[in-house]
mmCIF file of all heavy atoms in Angstrom:
data_model
loop_
_atom_site.group_PDB
_atom_site.id
_atom_site.type_symbol
_atom_site.label_atom_id
_atom_site.label_comp_id
_atom_site.label_asym_id
_atom_site.label_seq_id
_atom_site.Cartn_x
_atom_site.Cartn_y
_atom_site.Cartn_z
ATOM 1 N N LYS U 93 4.380 6.998 -30.641
ATOM 2 C CA LYS U 93 4.341 8.395 -30.438
ATOM 3 C C LYS U 93 2.931 8.952 -30.208
ATOM 4 O O LYS U 93 2.731 10.049 -29.717
ATOM 5 C CB LYS U 93 5.013 9.131 -31.624
ATOM 6 C CG LYS U 93 6.500 8.962 -31.657
ATOM 7 C CD LYS U 93 7.097 9.782 -32.805
ATOM 8 C CE LYS U 93 8.650 9.653 -32.748
ATOM 9 N NZ LYS U 93 9.310 10.467 -33.780
ATOM 10 N N LYS U 94 1.890 8.126 -30.524
ATOM 11 C CA LYS U 94 0.539 8.585 -30.364
ATOM 12 C C LYS U 94 -0.322 7.741 -29.471
ATOM 13 O O LYS U 94 -1.451 8.110 -29.063
ATOM 14 C CB LYS U 94 -0.110 8.678 -31.734
ATOM 15 C CG LYS U 94 0.463 9.727 -32.693
ATOM 16 C CD LYS U 94 -0.303 9.799 -33.938
ATOM 17 C CE LYS U 94 0.235 10.930 -34.822
ATOM 18 N NZ LYS U 94 -0.517 11.021 -36.115
ATOM 19 N N GLU U 95 0.141 6.505 -29.223
ATOM 20 C CA GLU U 95 -0.723 5.568 -28.451
ATOM 21 C C GLU U 95 0.059 4.488 -27.716
ATOM 22 O O GLU U 95 1.256 4.240 -28.102
ATOM 23 C CB GLU U 95 -1.845 4.941 -29.300
ATOM 24 C CG GLU U 95 -1.289 4.192 -30.534
ATOM 25 C CD GLU U 95 -2.391 3.817 -31.499
ATOM 26 O OE1 GLU U 95 -3.574 3.930 -31.212
ATOM 27 O OE2 GLU U 95 -2.039 3.377 -32.600
ATOM 28 N N SER U 96 -0.602 3.877 -26.780
ATOM 29 C CA SER U 96 0.003 2.772 -26.033
ATOM 30 C C SER U 96 -1.018 1.681 -25.996
ATOM 31 O O SER U 96 -2.218 1.925 -26.009
ATOM 32 C CB SER U 96 0.368 3.220 -24.616
ATOM 33 O OG SER U 96 0.860 2.080 -23.893
ATOM 34 N N PHE U 97 -0.540 0.504 -26.059
ATOM 35 C CA PHE U 97 -1.392 -0.742 -26.024
ATOM 36 C C PHE U 97 -1.051 -1.499 -24.760
ATOM 37 O O PHE U 97 0.191 -1.670 -24.426
ATOM 38 C CB PHE U 97 -1.241 -1.563 -27.200
ATOM 39 C CG PHE U 97 -1.823 -0.948 -28.448
ATOM 40 C CD1 PHE U 97 -0.982 -0.240 -29.280
ATOM 41 C CD2 PHE U 97 -3.146 -1.084 -28.759
ATOM 42 C CE1 PHE U 97 -1.461 0.382 -30.451
ATOM 43 C CE2 PHE U 97 -3.670 -0.475 -29.945
ATOM 44 C CZ PHE U 97 -2.785 0.244 -30.781
ATOM 45 N N LEU U 98 -2.038 -2.061 -24.135
ATOM 46 C CA LEU U 98 -1.853 -3.039 -23.040
ATOM 47 C C LEU U 98 -2.365 -4.373 -23.572
ATOM 48 O O LEU U 98 -3.601 -4.502 -23.734
ATOM 49 C CB LEU U 98 -2.616 -2.584 -21.762
ATOM 50 C CG LEU U 98 -2.334 -3.507 -20.587
ATOM 51 C CD1 LEU U 98 -0.863 -3.421 -20.121
ATOM 52 C CD2 LEU U 98 -3.263 -3.095 -19.407
ATOM 53 N N HIS U 99 -1.456 -5.253 -23.879
ATOM 54 C CA HIS U 99 -1.817 -6.540 -24.448
ATOM 55 C C HIS U 99 -2.020 -7.519 -23.261
ATOM 56 O O HIS U 99 -1.135 -7.639 -22.399
ATOM 57 C CB HIS U 99 -0.709 -7.028 -25.376
ATOM 58 C CG HIS U 99 -0.361 -6.091 -26.470
ATOM 59 N ND1 HIS U 99 -1.111 -5.979 -27.589
ATOM 60 C CD2 HIS U 99 0.677 -5.130 -26.552
ATOM 61 C CE1 HIS U 99 -0.509 -5.003 -28.372
ATOM 62 N NE2 HIS U 99 0.518 -4.536 -27.758
ATOM 63 N N ILE U 100 -3.070 -8.254 -23.328
ATOM 64 C CA ILE U 100 -3.380 -9.238 -22.281
ATOM 65 C C ILE U 100 -3.404 -10.643 -22.950
ATOM 66 O O ILE U 100 -4.270 -10.891 -23.763
ATOM 67 C CB ILE U 100 -4.698 -8.948 -21.557
ATOM 68 C CG1 ILE U 100 -4.641 -7.553 -20.988
ATOM 69 C CG2 ILE U 100 -4.909 -9.976 -20.490
ATOM 70 C CD1 ILE U 100 -5.910 -7.113 -20.333
ATOM 71 N N THR U 101 -2.395 -11.457 -22.585
ATOM 72 C CA THR U 101 -2.273 -12.760 -23.177
ATOM 73 C C THR U 101 -2.861 -13.851 -22.297
ATOM 74 O O THR U 101 -2.570 -13.943 -21.115
ATOM 75 C CB THR U 101 -0.838 -13.120 -23.470
ATOM 76 O OG1 THR U 101 -0.276 -12.075 -24.291
ATOM 77 C CG2 THR U 101 -0.668 -14.480 -24.108
ATOM 78 N N ALA U 102 -3.822 -14.665 -22.854
ATOM 79 C CA ALA U 102 -4.473 -15.730 -22.151
ATOM 80 C C ALA U 102 -4.973 -15.314 -20.789
ATOM 81 O O ALA U 102 -4.510 -15.788 -19.780
ATOM 82 C CB ALA U 102 -3.531 -16.946 -22.008
ATOM 83 N N PRO U 103 -5.821 -14.331 -20.732
ATOM 84 C CA PRO U 103 -6.305 -13.776 -19.498
ATOM 85 C C PRO U 103 -7.011 -14.784 -18.595
ATOM 86 O O PRO U 103 -7.644 -15.748 -19.086
ATOM 87 C CB PRO U 103 -7.206 -12.598 -19.893
ATOM 88 C CG PRO U 103 -7.706 -13.015 -21.212
ATOM 89 C CD PRO U 103 -6.583 -13.706 -21.889
ATOM 90 N N LYS U 104 -6.974 -14.505 -17.295
ATOM 91 C CA LYS U 104 -7.651 -15.270 -16.294
ATOM 92 C C LYS U 104 -8.722 -14.421 -15.611
ATOM 93 O O LYS U 104 -8.602 -13.193 -15.640
ATOM 94 C CB LYS U 104 -6.666 -15.899 -15.251
ATOM 95 C CG LYS U 104 -5.660 -16.754 -15.821
ATOM 96 C CD LYS U 104 -4.733 -17.286 -14.790
ATOM 97 C CE LYS U 104 -3.714 -18.313 -15.376
ATOM 98 N NZ LYS U 104 -2.812 -18.834 -14.359
ATOM 99 N N PRO U 105 -9.712 -14.982 -14.947
ATOM 100 C CA PRO U 105 -10.722 -14.167 -14.229
ATOM 101 C C PRO U 105 -10.123 -13.175 -13.269
ATOM 102 O O PRO U 105 -10.719 -12.105 -13.141
ATOM 103 C CB PRO U 105 -11.558 -15.269 -13.533
ATOM 104 C CG PRO U 105 -11.483 -16.448 -14.408
ATOM 105 C CD PRO U 105 -10.053 -16.429 -14.926
ATOM 106 N N GLU U 106 -9.012 -13.480 -12.655
ATOM 107 C CA GLU U 106 -8.453 -12.574 -11.761
ATOM 108 C C GLU U 106 -7.818 -11.344 -12.405
ATOM 109 O O GLU U 106 -7.404 -10.364 -11.714
ATOM 110 C CB GLU U 106 -7.341 -13.245 -10.882
ATOM 111 C CG GLU U 106 -6.265 -13.991 -11.625
ATOM 112 C CD GLU U 106 -6.553 -15.473 -11.665
ATOM 113 O OE1 GLU U 106 -7.740 -15.853 -11.966
ATOM 114 O OE2 GLU U 106 -5.616 -16.272 -11.528
ATOM 115 N N ASP U 107 -7.762 -11.274 -13.730
ATOM 116 C CA ASP U 107 -7.299 -10.113 -14.433
ATOM 117 C C ASP U 107 -8.428 -9.090 -14.626
ATOM 118 O O ASP U 107 -8.255 -7.988 -15.106
ATOM 119 C CB ASP U 107 -6.783 -10.525 -15.843
ATOM 120 C CG ASP U 107 -5.506 -11.320 -15.713
ATOM 121 O OD1 ASP U 107 -4.678 -11.032 -14.856
ATOM 122 O OD2 ASP U 107 -5.305 -12.260 -16.558
ATOM 123 N N SER U 108 -9.668 -9.511 -14.211
ATOM 124 C CA SER U 108 -10.789 -8.582 -14.312
ATOM 125 C C SER U 108 -10.565 -7.351 -13.447
ATOM 126 O O SER U 108 -10.260 -7.508 -12.196
ATOM 127 C CB SER U 108 -12.072 -9.264 -13.867
ATOM 128 O OG SER U 108 -12.384 -10.383 -14.736
ATOM 129 N N ALA U 109 -10.662 -6.181 -13.965
ATOM 130 C CA ALA U 109 -10.366 -4.963 -13.297
ATOM 131 C C ALA U 109 -10.615 -3.786 -14.221
ATOM 132 O O ALA U 109 -10.843 -4.010 -15.458
ATOM 133 C CB ALA U 109 -8.986 -4.874 -12.721
ATOM 134 N N THR U 110 -10.452 -2.572 -13.817
ATOM 135 C CA THR U 110 -10.438 -1.406 -14.675
ATOM 136 C C THR U 110 -8.987 -1.056 -14.874
ATOM 137 O O THR U 110 -8.228 -0.910 -13.915
ATOM 138 C CB THR U 110 -11.227 -0.241 -14.069
ATOM 139 O OG1 THR U 110 -12.630 -0.560 -14.024
ATOM 140 C CG2 THR U 110 -11.052 1.011 -14.991
ATOM 141 N N TYR U 111 -8.578 -0.827 -16.094
ATOM 142 C CA TYR U 111 -7.219 -0.458 -16.450
ATOM 143 C C TYR U 111 -7.149 0.950 -16.868
ATOM 144 O O TYR U 111 -7.882 1.433 -17.766
ATOM 145 C CB TYR U 111 -6.685 -1.412 -17.524
ATOM 146 C CG TYR U 111 -6.489 -2.792 -17.020
ATOM 147 C CD1 TYR U 111 -7.545 -3.690 -16.985
ATOM 148 C CD2 TYR U 111 -5.253 -3.215 -16.459
ATOM 149 C CE1 TYR U 111 -7.327 -4.998 -16.524
ATOM 150 C CE2 TYR U 111 -5.068 -4.478 -15.974
ATOM 151 C CZ TYR U 111 -6.137 -5.389 -15.992
ATOM 152 O OH TYR U 111 -5.915 -6.622 -15.480
ATOM 153 N N LEU U 112 -6.306 1.711 -16.173
ATOM 154 C CA LEU U 112 -6.201 3.143 -16.367
ATOM 155 C C LEU U 112 -4.838 3.487 -17.035
ATOM 156 O O LEU U 112 -3.796 2.916 -16.719
ATOM 157 C CB LEU U 112 -6.260 3.918 -15.057
ATOM 158 C CG LEU U 112 -7.546 3.659 -14.186
ATOM 159 C CD1 LEU U 112 -7.315 4.348 -12.862
ATOM 160 C CD2 LEU U 112 -8.739 4.198 -14.881
ATOM 161 N N CYS U 113 -4.909 4.459 -17.923
ATOM 162 C CA CYS U 113 -3.742 5.005 -18.620
ATOM 163 C C CYS U 113 -3.588 6.454 -18.191
ATOM 164 O O CYS U 113 -4.572 7.190 -18.067
ATOM 165 C CB CYS U 113 -3.924 4.843 -20.158
ATOM 166 S SG CYS U 113 -2.661 5.644 -21.123
ATOM 167 N N ALA U 114 -2.346 6.932 -18.068
ATOM 168 C CA ALA U 114 -2.114 8.305 -17.677
ATOM 169 C C ALA U 114 -0.851 8.774 -18.365
ATOM 170 O O ALA U 114 0.067 7.974 -18.611
ATOM 171 C CB ALA U 114 -2.004 8.511 -16.170
ATOM 172 N N VAL U 115 -0.786 10.047 -18.706
ATOM 173 C CA VAL U 115 0.447 10.647 -19.292
ATOM 174 C C VAL U 115 0.837 11.865 -18.443
ATOM 175 O O VAL U 115 0.058 12.544 -17.847
ATOM 176 C CB VAL U 115 0.230 11.079 -20.736
ATOM 177 C CG1 VAL U 115 -0.072 9.839 -21.637
ATOM 178 C CG2 VAL U 115 -0.831 12.157 -20.899
ATOM 179 N N GLN U 116 2.150 12.128 -18.519
ATOM 180 C CA GLN U 116 2.662 13.327 -17.969
ATOM 181 C C GLN U 116 3.577 13.955 -19.002
ATOM 182 O O GLN U 116 4.453 13.304 -19.671
ATOM 183 C CB GLN U 116 3.481 13.097 -16.725
ATOM 184 C CG GLN U 116 4.079 14.444 -16.115
ATOM 185 C CD GLN U 116 4.891 14.199 -14.897
ATOM 186 O OE1 GLN U 116 5.021 13.086 -14.426
ATOM 187 N NE2 GLN U 116 5.457 15.287 -14.328
ATOM 188 N N GLY U 117 3.367 15.231 -19.314
ATOM 189 C CA GLY U 117 4.128 15.933 -20.308
ATOM 190 C C GLY U 117 4.631 17.271 -19.798
ATOM 191 O O GLY U 117 4.158 17.803 -18.803
ATOM 192 N N GLY U 118 5.678 17.753 -20.408
ATOM 193 C CA GLY U 118 6.105 19.077 -20.055
ATOM 194 C C GLY U 118 7.095 19.067 -18.896
ATOM 195 O O GLY U 118 6.883 18.410 -17.881
ATOM 196 N N TYR U 119 8.195 19.781 -19.007
ATOM 197 C CA TYR U 119 9.243 19.707 -18.000
ATOM 198 C C TYR U 119 8.791 20.229 -16.673
ATOM 199 O O TYR U 119 9.119 19.704 -15.592
ATOM 200 C CB TYR U 119 10.486 20.506 -18.468
ATOM 201 C CG TYR U 119 11.626 20.473 -17.517
ATOM 202 C CD1 TYR U 119 12.455 19.391 -17.386
ATOM 203 C CD2 TYR U 119 11.836 21.561 -16.612
ATOM 204 C CE1 TYR U 119 13.531 19.290 -16.497
ATOM 205 C CE2 TYR U 119 12.861 21.533 -15.717
ATOM 206 C CZ TYR U 119 13.690 20.361 -15.647
ATOM 207 O OH TYR U 119 14.735 20.329 -14.749
ATOM 208 N N ASP U 120 7.967 21.292 -16.667
ATOM 209 C CA ASP U 120 7.448 21.903 -15.453
ATOM 210 C C ASP U 120 6.129 21.396 -14.919
ATOM 211 O O ASP U 120 5.615 21.914 -13.980
ATOM 212 C CB ASP U 120 7.384 23.471 -15.609
ATOM 213 C CG ASP U 120 8.749 24.039 -15.857
ATOM 214 O OD1 ASP U 120 9.735 23.559 -15.252
ATOM 215 O OD2 ASP U 120 8.789 25.039 -16.589
ATOM 216 N N ASN U 121 5.644 20.402 -15.613
ATOM 217 C CA ASN U 121 4.303 19.939 -15.314
ATOM 218 C C ASN U 121 4.403 18.832 -14.294
ATOM 219 O O ASN U 121 5.088 17.792 -14.512
ATOM 220 C CB ASN U 121 3.589 19.452 -16.604
ATOM 221 C CG ASN U 121 2.227 18.949 -16.296
ATOM 222 O OD1 ASN U 121 1.636 19.147 -15.266
ATOM 223 N ND2 ASN U 121 1.626 18.254 -17.287
ATOM 224 N N ASN U 122 3.697 18.916 -13.163
ATOM 225 C CA ASN U 122 3.716 17.870 -12.173
ATOM 226 C C ASN U 122 2.412 17.031 -12.171
ATOM 227 O O ASN U 122 2.208 16.223 -11.245
ATOM 228 C CB ASN U 122 3.954 18.459 -10.809
ATOM 229 C CG ASN U 122 5.358 18.756 -10.590
ATOM 230 O OD1 ASN U 122 6.186 17.857 -10.490
ATOM 231 N ND2 ASN U 122 5.713 20.082 -10.450
#
Side-chain angles (χ1 to χ4, degrees):
Chain U
K93 290 186 177 180
K94 293 184 178 180
E95 56 192 351
S96 177
F97 291 93
L98 185 65
H99 305 278
I100 303 176
T101 302
K104 298 181 178 181
E106 53 262 42
D107 294 323
S108 297
T110 296
Y111 290 85
L112 304 173
C113 172
V115 297
Q116 182 181 358
Y119 183 77
D120 294 326
N121 181 13
N122 281 295

